[in-house]
Amino acid sequence: MLKITKLLLISVLTVVSISIVSCSGITEFNVNTEKVLYVKSTESDDLFNIIAQAQQLVNVGNNVEIRLSPGTYYLENTLKLTNLSSNKLSIVGSELGQTMISGATRLTLIWEKHNEHIYKAKLNIKNVDQLFIAGEQQVRARYPNYQTGNKVFNGYAADAISLERTKHWNNPIGAYVHALHKGKWGGMHYQIIGKLSDGNWDLEGGFQNNRPSPLHAKYRFVENVFEELDAPKEWFFEPKTQTLYFYPDKLTINQIKTIEVPQLDHLIDIIGTEQKPVQNIKIQNITFSHTKQTFMQTREPLLRSDWTIYRGGAITIENAQDVLVKGNTLVNLGGNAVSVNRFAKNIEIDSNHISKIGAGAVNFVGDPSAVRSPSFNYNDFITLDEMDFGDGPKNNLYPVNSTVHNNLIHDIGRVEKQVAGVQISMSKSITVSHNSIYRVPRAGINVSEGTWGGHLIEFNDVFHTVLETGDHGAFNSWGRDRFWHPKRAKMEQIYKLHPMLHKRDAIATVTIRNNRFQSDYGWDIDLDDGSSNYDIYNNVMLAGGLKLREGYRRYAYNNIMINNSLHPHVWFENSEDVVKHNIVLVSYQPVSSYHWGSEIDYNFFTTQGALEKAHTLGLDEHSTYGEPMFINPKVGDYRVSENSKALMVGFINFPMDNFGVVSPSLKQLAETPKFPDLFLENSASDTSKVYNFLGAKVKSVETLGEQSALGIPEISGVMVLSVTKGSVMEREGIKANDVIFTIYGKEKITTAQDLLKAYQTGKWRKKMKLTISRNQSMKTLTINTHNED
């Protein structure tokens, strides 16, 4: 049992008089009407006892702080905070050493050999979904084997559950099949529950996506099959015999000291009722680890989005107000980290480090009962004669006036793929500021629908996003609210009858400002399907540009779109959209757009051709072009010099050093994005430079000698110098000395920068069609670029 000295008490508590009452593992300090309870041991019973005692003290008028000693508290049950008074309850970890709350059981096992590589041991546990050895998560037996660095599922195989390959399986009942959605709109998960009459495996699941589809034919893997236990770090648990099988890696089986198996879905529940919400809770300086995977509980549909949700996390907050979660570490979790549900007011998620988790980092999700005329499926629609035309929410069961500030969030969605660093649904006025979010399979920040707007998204650094999925953004939103209809013509008719209907759900403007965004496969800012009532300004977009699909009242100004542009998709008449004072490095990329909002003008292009293309669309009468004269683009400083012509059309410089986390401890840990080479046609070196294009070294054809050697009719196109083995281009059949002339079947390629620009603006497509010259013959190749390793 740990001891605490009187000197420590005095240094921590700056008070005049202290009375002390001690019991096993607990010391109580009475400071007038404020009490500090110190847990001196890491026994979970002591922790549960003191929390029960603390809530009693709170309810009779005390402010209480629980101080946890260093060490790991292995919980047998979820901690429940349900005090209903307005007094304050704090749970604070030690500042002198790490305090961990774990949902795992720590095991001491007696191992025996099963075969040459595999050992086995008996457990007094009925369920094991994760195994941690010496703090490191091991791999549940799977096919294909775990491949570090493989972007999708850490390895995938089209034949994961094929009959021919799996005929050696004896009894795979209970195995899990993980796959991407057919359209790569997130992931889906299934359990094998038997065999069908045709011999195929009977699968149960797929409800994790609100727009269900068949399994993706290629991106899939299977786990929890004994016959696939064939690689170091793999394990398998047989529930009937309660036997754990393990293939150790570098450590011998006798060197293994710490074995932990998660057993809880949640670690702390802060849950009240709408009438009597839990109030004034602080959780600080604690490491939360080891919750179970919850992907088979992710099944509640959100409003016409692609999401279903599980309303739980390591920290679950519901029907509560004035809750502060600050300075914690949430790591090695099987499901969500923080889940905020229904009535939730003044919730602060501040200065936490969230990483290595199976699902989403921070979810704000209101209750559908607060929504007027809700629809849940993409194709659902409430008829106008049945529709509630009132404004805003119907009740208070939704998060409001809450913040996610200064959090370091990375390596999330390790199991579930329809996740985000911050997810907002059926909520109002959520501020997301100064967070660093990276290495996520889908969006960094996602707003599921327009209900009820008012969010402020600012000073975030969001990059390495949409890594495993597609057709999405670093910031993504949908706006499938009451006015929205899956048939565009019908939606336009509805809007003409009810021109303010989009603002009855999106009652307040969402502001996206002063962020740095980068998406690997998609758009940096993707306002999809009806997203309305947005102000978007002072953002740096490093790769994917800005997409505005059908919607109303989007003002996009003073943004910088590196190597990309505006993607107008299906704009409607009287959209009220405004796009001005932006710097765009590539010409606009319209898709089925036949109206252009209120104003698209006073923008700055880097080429005359891009400006002329805008003119042919009837846009940008007062816009201009030229060299942007960025101050230092190699280090991400995209302010322009005082001589830049961008300033002439109204662009205003904004700071480039305020993105991401701000606290020194998190800044020291946070990564930053890689800044791309600029694709400027006016650059003097645009032809001679060698570029890496999907694993191929390419350059512009620029000399008569190159033309002759390649046997092409003119000095034009992009020559392939070499192809890296295992790269996208090598796997898709591109060879050295190929010359690329067109991309996507229409974009003529003259220089390497033409190729890179065209790919950058079109890589959201699933496939890339190239016209090439090979050995003096023309060929057409279709390259699958989407989410390849």
Side-chain angles (χ1 to χ4, degrees), residues 428-498:
K428 185 176 184 295
S429 300
I430 307 298
T431 295
V432 183
S433 65
H434 280 295
N435 302 284
S436 292
I437 304 172
Y438 51 89
R439 285 198 294 275
V440 300
R442 204 139 171 77
I445 301 170
N446 187 74
V447 175
S448 254
E449 74 289 306
T451 52
W452 287 276
H455 313 308
L456 175 59
I457 315 296
E458 64 177 356
F459 297 110
N460 300 287
D461 200 8
V462 184
F463 58 98
H464 291 327
T465 63
V466 200
L467 288 175
E468 298 180 67
T469 60
D471 192 9
H472 213 57
F475 174 90
N476 184 83
S477 67
W478 291 289
R480 300 172 191 149
D481 303 324
R482 278 175 284 177
F483 80 92
W484 193 86
H485 195 283
K487 295 182 179 179
R488 297 172 195 160
K490 182 68 174 177
M491 193 177 347
E492 286 194 283
Q493 293 175 14
I494 293 168
Y495 190 77
K496 288 178 180 178
L497 290 172
H498 302 279

Side-chain angles (χ1 to χ4, degrees), residues 166-187:
T166 62
K167 61 186 179 182
H168 66 293
W169 291 356
N170 179 35
N171 182 21
I173 306 303
Y176 293 103
V177 181
H178 305 272
L180 290 188
H181 184 281
K182 184 179 180 181
K184 298 179 183 172
W185 300 332

Side-chain angles (χ1 to χ4, degrees), residues 161-163 166 169 171-178 189-207 215 220 222-223 225 296:
I161 55 172
S162 69
L163 292 180
T166 62
W169 291 356
N171 182 21
I173 306 303
Y176 293 103
V177 181
H178 305 272
H189 314 272
Y190 301 81
Q191 189 170 33
I192 295 179
I193 60 174
K195 220 171 193 181
L196 299 171
S197 58
D198 62 2
N200 285 300
W201 299 110
D202 189 5
L203 304 180
E204 180 179 73
F207 38 70
L215 287 75
R220 53 172 71 176
V222 64
E223 66 172 354
V225 179
M296 292 303 285

Side-chain angles (χ1 to χ4, degrees), residues 6 8-21 27-32 34 36:
K6 185 174 181 181
L8 176 58
L9 303 182
I10 295 172
S11 65
V12 172
L13 299 171
T14 55
V15 296
V16 176
S17 64
I18 304 173
S19 63
I20 301 176
V21 178
T27 302
E28 174 185 318
F29 303 99
N30 190 8
V31 186
N32 298 323
E34 296 186 4
V36 177

Side-chain angles (χ1 to χ4, degrees), residues 3-76:
K3 295 183 179 180
I4 182 167
T5 67
K6 185 174 181 181
L7 177 62
L8 176 58
L9 303 182
I10 295 172
S11 65
V12 172
L13 299 171
T14 55
V15 296
V16 176
S17 64
I18 304 173
S19 63
I20 301 176
V21 178
S22 296
C23 60
S24 176
I26 302 171
T27 302
E28 174 185 318
F29 303 99
N30 190 8
V31 186
N32 298 323
T33 60
E34 296 186 4
K35 295 182 180 293
V36 177
L37 307 181
Y38 193 96
V39 184
K40 296 188 293 182
S41 78
T42 56
E43 295 295 326
S44 63
D45 284 347
D46 287 343
L47 183 55
F48 278 95
N49 289 336
I50 201 170
I51 285 179
Q53 176 186 344
Q55 292 186 89
Q56 292 176 359
L57 292 170
V58 167
N59 282 329
V60 295
N62 296 282
N63 294 324
V64 178
E65 180 175 301
I66 301 172
R67 297 188 181 179
L68 304 181
S69 65
T72 300
Y73 296 80
Y74 290 101
L75 302 182
E76 295 182 5

Side-chain angles (χ1 to χ4, degrees), residues 217-258:
K218 180 178 180 181
Y219 297 111
R220 53 172 71 176
F221 80 99
V222 64
E223 66 172 354
N224 202 33
V225 179
F226 180 75
E227 286 79 9
E228 304 299 344
L229 179 53
D230 58 3
K233 296 188 177 182
E234 286 194 343
W235 62 272
F236 175 81
F237 178 69
E238 169 51 64
K240 290 182 179 179
T241 62
Q242 294 181 281
T243 303
L244 176 66
Y245 297 85
F246 180 53
Y247 189 144
D249 186 16
K250 297 177 182 178
L251 295 175
T252 67
I253 201 72
N254 294 323
Q255 291 176 310
I256 296 173
K257 302 299 182 184
T258 306

Side-chain angles (χ1 to χ4, degrees), residues 381-395:
F381 183 76
I382 305 297
T383 61
L384 294 179
D385 59 344
E386 297 177 324
M387 189 174 290
D388 179 344
F389 284 93
D391 291 342
K394 291 169 62 177
N395 60 40

